[in-house]
Amino acid sequence: AQSVAQPEDQVNVAEGNPLTVKCTYSVSGNPYLFWYVQYPNRGLQFLLKYITGDNLVKGSYGFEAEFNKSQTSFHLKKPSALVSDSALYFCAVRGGDSSYKLIFGSGTRLLVRP
Amino acid sequence: DVKVTQSSRYLVKRTGEKVFLECVQDMDHENMFWYRQDPGLGLRLIYFSYDVKMKEKGDIPEGYSVSREKKERFSLILESASTNQTSMYLCASSSRAWNQPQHFGDGTRLSIL
């Protein structure tokens, strides 16, 4: 069965420091991986995706993510955190089994302190 | 930009009522989805539709039904609302291309009293 794990409920980081939000996945076939961000009382906004090609993908607002096939991970990163990055982050995967469905992780709350 | 619009941001209904949540997208997307979001559980798929009048059950369809009479509109129906259906409901749409993301509306926070 396909699944996504975000092992940290919350990540705390100081402004200006690098941040990492972790995601591991389990799918059949080649994975299609996505990161979304949710600000309070809003829907999910697409940040970036990995489909194929370079293992390091760049997305919106200075975020990037590293795909690691051997570790089945797709961690979200940013070199220098901003207070405005504080939000709820979701990792999602679509398996290579011709399904339209996305499987979402439980979410990680990022808190960037000034 | 893709625009997915949910008709209500906040809704309060009573137990036993029939509740309609509406969603409209303006990008001619074939696929549309309804999720509910609960703390600690992430997003769970209720139903999705891959074409007009076509639908498939998601992971938690019990107590819900859907309607897609036009390509741009996807409705979620709570046949007889119960308190355990109090939640945030999110609508999304996407094209049929595998490499494209889903685009979300701002959600409807539904309270069943």
Side-chain angles (χ1 to χ4, degrees):
Chain A
Q2 298 177 156
S3 66
V4 176
Q6 293 182 242
E8 302 153 316
D9 290 336
Q10 183 161 312
V11 169
N12 298 305
V13 63
E15 188 173 32
N17 283 0
L19 69 87
T20 298
V21 182
K22 296 179 180 177
C23 172
T24 58
Y25 65 90
S26 174
V27 296
S28 55
N30 292 320
Y32 299 89
L33 293 153
F34 302 83
W35 274 103
Y36 288 84
V37 61
Q38 186 180 33
Y39 298 102
N41 297 316
R42 301 297 300 275
L44 275 67
Q45 294 180 31
F46 167 68
L47 275 180
L48 51 79
K49 64 183 180 184
Y50 173 82
I51 304 300
T52 186
D54 288 342
N55 290 340
L56 186 66
V57 294
K58 295 187 183 296
S60 307
Y61 312 122
F63 283 92
E64 57 191 27
E66 186 169 12
F67 172 66
N68 187 316
K69 188 173 184 177
S70 63
Q71 296 185 3
T72 62
S73 67
F74 188 54
H75 300 332
L76 181 71
K77 301 182 179 186
K78 188 173 183 181
S80 179
L82 299 172
V83 172
S84 58
D85 292 330
S86 298
L88 189 56
Y89 290 82
F90 288 97
C91 180
V93 65
R94 175 184 293 140
D97 60 352
S98 71
S99 169
Y100 290 122
K101 292 169 57 174
L102 279 181
I103 306 300
F104 285 85
S106 56
T108 298
R109 188 164 299 281
L110 174 65
L111 183 60
V112 182
R113 58 186 185 276
Chain B
D1 268 358
V2 176
K3 185 74 172 175
V4 178
T5 303
Q6 296 184 229
S7 54
S8 305
R9 293 297 304 278
Y10 301 93
L11 207 53
V12 179
K13 296 292 183 181
R14 296 206 173 273
T15 303
E17 280 192 70
K18 191 169 186 176
V19 180
F20 294 85
L21 302 184
E22 307 286 346
C23 176
V24 177
Q25 51 96 1
D26 67 356
M27 282 302 292
D28 202 36
H29 283 164
E30 293 84 1
N31 298 331
M32 295 188 75
F33 307 82
W34 274 107
Y35 295 90
R36 65 175 282 175
Q37 180 181 9
D38 299 289
L41 297 178
L43 274 70
R44 294 179 290 169
L45 182 65
I46 304 172
Y47 268 98
F48 73 100
S49 168
Y50 50 91
D51 206 342
V52 175
K53 297 190 186 297
M54 306 304 290
K55 62 185 179 185
E56 282 196 25
K57 293 180 180 179
D59 300 316
I60 52 165
E62 296 78 18
Y64 303 95
S65 62
V66 290
S67 173
R68 192 158 179 211
E69 297 297 318
K70 294 184 177 181
K71 190 175 185 179
E72 68 271 18
R73 187 179 296 272
F74 192 36
S75 302
L76 179 70
I77 304 155
L78 285 66
E79 298 291 344
S80 177
S82 64
T83 55
N84 63 10
Q85 292 179 308
T86 291
S87 187
M88 170 72 101
Y89 290 87
L90 293 167
C91 175
S93 72
S94 74
S95 71
R96 286 210 178 115
W98 295 114
N99 62 352
Q100 295 305 307
Q102 292 180 13
H103 298 270
F104 285 80
D106 279 338
T108 296
R109 188 165 294 280
L110 175 64
S111 295
I112 308 296
L113 304 180

